[in-house]
Amino acid sequence: MANSAVPDRPVIDVAKGTVSPHLTRLLVRAGMAAGLDRSRLAGLPGLAVLDDEGIRIPTGTILRVWEMLSRLPWGARGGDRVMELWQPGALGVWDYLFPVSGTLEEGFRAAARHFTAIADPSDELRVTRDGGALTVSWRGPYRDLPEYPLIAEFVPHMLLMVASSAAGRRLAPLRVGLPDLASIASGRSAELYNTERVIDADHPSVTFAEADIAIPLPRADPALAAILDRHARLSIEAARPVLGWLDRFHTVLESAVADGPPGLDQVARRLGMSPRTLQRRLNKEGTSWREELERLRRRRVDRLLRETSLSVDSIATRVGFTDSRALRRAIHRWYGHGPPVIRGSGPS
């Protein structure tokens, strides 16, 4: 069984907390066509310069747009309205990785390798072989968000659209996996995914037969594929992040936590403001110092417990708790059980 994972670390560091503007443009256009009030988009970081190909916008911005779309009266349809506006190249260099590849399998592996060209580095596209079948699955840290079912429904559809365009025909997958089957209206799976076999799965996925993934693509171009592979990486490294105030706060908070238990005064000083002003700015964003610190610590603790063998004492130090007892109390408050249960469940 083979697996294709995320890009190299330096690219992830450069792009952390951001996405490309390409998919956001499609989301905004689809939302406007469905009646989204343009005034609700005002002030979202990056949207004013969304046509600039050389930027990366905060991940929070695209999630906010997804949230707005999830509340629109789509009727019997959802995220597929977004792909109605798609044309090859609308997702930037990532789009072009497919048609120039030798086969669809090669295309998906290139797309997984350079998924950060359109997504946040915390999002992962996995390509897995199981016998003659190839499964492409998406994993992102958004499961607790109300808009997650819409995103999860959209991703397999997007993958099918770009792959079908590269193949020159509409592909019929062996199956599609969704973590929320209730999000698919009755009888809609055939229209959306060209298959009636939509199954319950931990992560959104689409599985193709050997006959589809191994056939040479009609526009394969090995020399151009090599050029685009390099360009995909360089475009991420050269992109300019457009960050909002809350993004700067998150960056400073993460840095402060890495140095030990952070204090409100310390973070406010790094941001060049008084503690009272910092609290006021957070309140205007609909959050608080305590909520932000708790959210960051919980995310880090969850990852370290699932993905490392560090002791609870070491994790407490890394995440800024005074000692392991304080960390154990927090874990019980968050999950209702102790660290061994989380560690035993494996990567999320």
Side-chain angles (χ1 to χ4, degrees):
M1 183 178 294
N3 179 65
S4 182
V6 293
D8 295 338
R9 195 76 235 167
V11 173
I12 291 179
D13 291 339
V14 168
K16 185 177 182 181
T18 67
V19 298
S20 84
H22 301 94
L23 178 56
T24 309
R25 278 202 294 262
L26 290 178
L27 296 178
V28 169
R29 288 172 57 201
M32 301 292 289
L36 177 64
D37 185 351
R38 183 184 293 271
S39 65
R40 297 186 61 196
L41 300 170
L44 288 180
L47 292 194
V49 289
L50 207 53
D51 290 332
D52 186 340
E53 297 290 325
I55 66 167
R56 288 186 67 89
I57 65 172
T59 303
T61 292
I62 194 173
L63 290 176
R64 181 75 178 108
V65 175
W66 270 118
E67 179 187 356
M68 294 177 187
L69 262 60
S70 70
R71 297 177 180 176
L72 289 175
W74 293 105
R77 308 178 67 189
D80 50 320
R81 290 284 293 273
V82 178
M83 293 305 287
E84 287 181 354
L85 301 171
W86 173 83
Q87 295 292 329
L91 295 176
V93 65
W94 188 81
D95 256 348
Y96 293 116
L97 295 171
F98 285 88
V100 299
S101 297
T103 64
L104 276 180
E105 178 171 6
E106 291 177 16
F108 275 120
R109 293 195 183 279
R113 191 164 60 250
H114 295 295
F115 197 46
T116 302
I118 60 169
D120 188 292
S122 62
D123 293 76
E124 181 183 359
L125 202 62
R126 290 191 180 182
V127 181
T128 307
R129 266 280 198 174
D130 187 3
L134 186 87
T135 296
V136 186
S137 62
W138 169 73
R139 301 173 185 226
Y142 316 116
R143 296 196 70 138
D144 294 334
L145 300 179
E147 58 271 22
Y148 179 75
L150 180 59
I151 301 174
E153 177 185 303
F154 167 77
V155 172
H157 180 59
M158 177 187 74
L159 295 173
L160 273 171
M161 288 281 287
V162 295
S164 295
S165 175
R169 57 191 172 85
R170 191 184 185 198
L171 297 170
L174 292 177
R175 61 184 175 273
V176 169
L178 290 178
D180 185 6
L181 290 179
S183 68
I184 293 291
S186 177
R188 184 165 166 256
S189 60
E191 174 190 358
L192 194 59
Y193 303 121
N194 201 23
T195 181
E196 293 285 0
R197 195 174 181 205
V198 179
I199 63 172
D200 184 55
D202 290 336
H203 304 280
S205 65
V206 56
T207 300
F208 298 91
E210 174 77 24
D212 287 323
I213 60 176
I215 295 177
L217 294 178
R219 289 171 288 167
D221 188 331
L224 183 54
I227 293 172
L228 291 177
D229 192 85
R230 177 173 173 76
H231 177 67
R233 180 185 179 88
L234 293 178
S235 66
I236 301 168
E237 295 175 341
R240 174 175 56 87
V242 179
L243 301 179
W245 177 84
L246 195 57
D247 299 285
R248 288 199 301 116
F249 166 77
H250 288 152
T251 299
V252 171
L253 180 60
E254 287 198 21
S255 175
V257 167
D259 295 336
L264 175 64
D265 292 357
Q266 171 195 5
V267 172
R269 185 166 58 251
R270 293 190 185 188
L271 287 167
M273 61 181 67
S274 70
R276 180 172 296 180
T277 299
L278 174 55
Q279 289 176 314
R280 192 161 54 242
R281 291 290 297 271
L282 289 172
N283 287 338
K284 286 180 66 176
E285 297 285 350
T287 185
S288 68
W289 165 259
R290 178 172 292 183
E291 289 175 12
E292 291 297 324
L293 182 58
E294 185 98 336
R295 189 177 296 119
L296 173 61
R297 282 175 163 170
R298 179 171 179 171
R299 188 167 64 247
R300 284 193 167 192
V301 167
D302 187 87
R303 182 180 64 80
L304 290 172
L305 282 173
R306 294 178 189 274
E307 300 179 9
T308 76
S309 58
L310 290 172
S311 67
V312 175
D313 285 334
S314 296
I315 292 175
T317 300
R318 289 189 177 213
V319 183
F321 282 90
T322 53
D323 54 43
S324 61
R325 288 178 299 176
L327 173 57
R328 290 179 187 278
R329 287 196 297 270
I331 291 173
H332 274 281
R333 183 172 70 254
W334 296 333
Y335 301 101
H337 47 67
V341 177
I342 304 170
R343 175 153 276 165
S345 62
S348 58

